[in-house]
Amino acid sequence: CGASLVSQGVVYWVDVWVGGRRIRERVGPSREAAAARELKLKQEKARAKVMGVREFAMSYRLEDLWPRYATWCKIHNRDFKGKKSRWVNRLKPFFGKKTLNQITRRLVETYRNRRLSEGARPASVNREVSLLRHMLRMAVEWGFLDRNPLEGLGNLREENDDRWRYLTEEEFERLERAVNDTYRDLLVFLAYTGLRLGDALRLTPQDVDLRGEVILIRGSKTKGGRAFGIPMHPRVKEILERRIRNGTAPEERIFRHSDSEFRRAFKRALEKAELPTSIRIHDLRHTFASWLALKGVPIQQIQALLGHSQLSTTLRYAHLNPAVLRDAVERI
């Protein structure tokens, strides 16, 4: 425990070794809560030592693992909100009461089939199973499981290319006119940077170089964990200059909307603009990439601007401008 460098109060931590692994958890301002958490960790450590890892896994349920995993995610991971949602709504009802040794590949196949029969997309099921796999991997790290039964388990085939679409310039103009004034800056920003909504909402003036006209996307904040820069379109620069000039502090978010607020405003704007309500906010990212492809921008440059780690992810836009590919062939 000790004085927090972030707040003016005191923040308590627990620091114990379990199964040969060091576990450090931030508890909060309550010394009593920290002491209780430390006692529980030591009790689990004693149980694992006395019973042995294999026997311990026969009594330790997945829902017992979640609080520790959630704490680990808050410290190390950028998508705790998404993981919590998958746990509460999907994994916990099916796997929560299962002990660690009861979670097998056959059980996961049963879960997959059930979710697909309910109409879930393969991509969604893959994300859920990926979370389960990582929870079990951390259970091995912490000495509660001798091996991860899902290690090496492949994903379902994802065929989601038919779900993405992009807006034409005329469609985007209609959408821009229809959106509430409060959210217009963010809408334009997303369409002219290709950023994910979460990355845009986390942006602060410290991430913006107005003189160099570059937006720095820090790897610690992105989905893929990769840092990259985005040159500013004139419309983007105007928005950032105006918002920063109007008093946004260096550590404050430039766009202070909540995720849910913007999503509601986006849906209302689609209806007002008489556009399909199936269009998603993420399609603004596809719109940015598609506009670039239609203008003949090389696919490698689009990859860099989107921050994709693999070119295969970006290749979906290559077909939008066959003239570019035709020119390449004619050079032979």
Side-chain angles (χ1 to χ4, degrees):
C1 62
S4 169
L5 298 179
V6 178
S7 65
Q8 295 181 351
V10 173
V11 176
Y12 290 92
W13 292 67
V14 295
D15 189 348
V16 298
W17 287 80
V18 177
R21 299 284 179 176
R22 186 181 187 183
I23 299 177
R24 299 179 70 237
E25 293 184 2
R26 184 182 189 278
V27 178
S30 170
R31 183 184 182 93
E32 291 75 14
R37 183 63 180 150
E38 181 185 33
L39 177 60
K40 185 173 181 179
L41 288 173
K42 288 182 176 179
Q43 288 173 340
E44 290 174 353
K45 174 182 178 181
R47 284 177 62 198
K49 184 175 181 180
V50 171
M51 299 172 63
V53 174
R54 189 177 302 275
E55 290 75 16
F56 183 76
M58 295 173 64
S59 63
Y60 197 66
R61 298 180 300 184
L62 191 69
E63 64 182 11
D64 298 325
L65 180 68
W66 171 255
R68 175 172 305 164
Y69 183 79
T71 301
W72 184 91
C73 279
K74 290 176 184 177
I75 299 174
H76 297 92
N77 201 281
R78 297 167 297 280
D79 186 31
F80 173 69
K81 183 178 179 181
K83 284 179 168 54
K84 182 180 179 181
S85 176
R86 294 185 191 104
W87 166 253
V88 172
N89 298 315
R90 303 302 177 193
L91 297 180
K92 184 179 180 180
F94 190 91
F95 294 101
K97 299 296 183 182
K98 303 292 184 183
T99 59
L100 298 185
N101 73 312
Q102 289 177 326
I103 301 175
T104 63
R105 291 195 177 199
R106 178 175 294 182
L107 185 64
V108 171
E109 287 301 327
T110 301
Y111 174 79
R112 281 174 164 175
N113 292 335
R114 177 180 295 187
R115 292 285 290 124
L116 292 174
S117 68
E118 294 170 348
R121 294 187 298 117
S124 299
V125 180
N126 284 340
R127 304 303 173 270
E128 294 159 13
V129 173
S130 177
L131 171 57
L132 177 62
R133 184 191 298 116
H134 192 253
M135 289 179 67
L136 295 178
R137 183 164 76 83
M138 295 310 298
V140 174
E141 289 278 328
W142 293 328
F144 298 149
L145 198 60
D146 56 0
R147 55 177 292 275
N148 185 350
L150 305 186
E151 197 66 46
L153 178 66
N155 287 331
L156 297 172
R157 182 183 178 88
E158 297 181 15
E159 298 178 349
N160 298 319
D161 284 350
D162 58 335
R163 295 194 74 248
W164 74 269
R165 64 156 294 177
Y166 68 93
L167 300 175
T168 65
E169 294 185 16
E170 185 274 334
E171 287 175 327
F172 182 74
E173 288 174 1
R174 284 161 50 194
L175 183 62
E176 184 181 347
R177 289 194 299 269
V179 76
N180 185 295
D181 291 345
T182 304
Y183 305 100
R184 185 167 292 120
D185 279 356
L186 181 54
L187 179 77
V188 173
F189 183 86
L190 292 172
Y192 283 87
T193 62
L195 282 178
R196 298 179 178 88
L197 177 59
D199 293 337
L201 291 177
R202 284 189 290 268
L203 206 67
T204 69
Q206 296 173 333
D207 304 318
V208 174
D209 179 3
L210 289 173
R211 180 174 298 180
E213 300 185 352
V214 173
I215 301 169
L216 175 63
I217 308 303
R218 304 181 189 278
S220 60
K221 298 180 180 180
T222 65
K223 176 183 176 181
R226 298 176 65 250
F228 61 99
I230 301 177
M232 294 180 195
H233 184 277
R235 296 198 67 184
V236 170
K237 184 177 181 181
E238 186 277 326
I239 290 171
L240 294 176
E241 283 182 329
R242 171 164 40 82
R243 284 181 165 264
I244 294 174
R245 185 173 60 246
N246 287 343
T248 303
E251 69 282 357
E252 290 181 340
R253 293 189 298 130
I254 294 174
F255 301 102
R256 303 180 191 179
H257 317 301
S258 73
D259 183 290
S260 58
E261 286 174 352
F262 183 73
R263 291 185 185 280
R264 286 193 293 268
F266 183 78
K267 287 298 182 184
R268 288 194 295 267
L270 288 173
E271 294 172 355
K272 186 176 180 180
E274 298 182 346
L275 291 169
T277 54
S278 59
I279 295 174
R280 305 163 301 163
I281 291 175
H282 197 73
D283 288 324
L284 296 175
R285 180 169 168 85
H286 296 316
T287 296
F288 171 74
S290 300
W291 286 353
L292 292 174
L294 289 167
K295 298 294 184 181
V297 176
I299 200 71
Q300 291 86 352
Q301 293 182 19
I302 298 176
Q303 176 191 10
L305 290 169
L306 293 177
H308 286 161
S309 58
Q310 297 181 346
L311 183 61
S312 59
T313 309
T314 321
L315 285 175
R316 68 176 69 181
Y317 308 107
H319 73 281
L320 293 173
N321 194 349
V324 174
L325 302 180
R326 190 178 302 114
D327 289 342
V329 173
E330 290 175 353
R331 295 180 185 180
I332 299 177

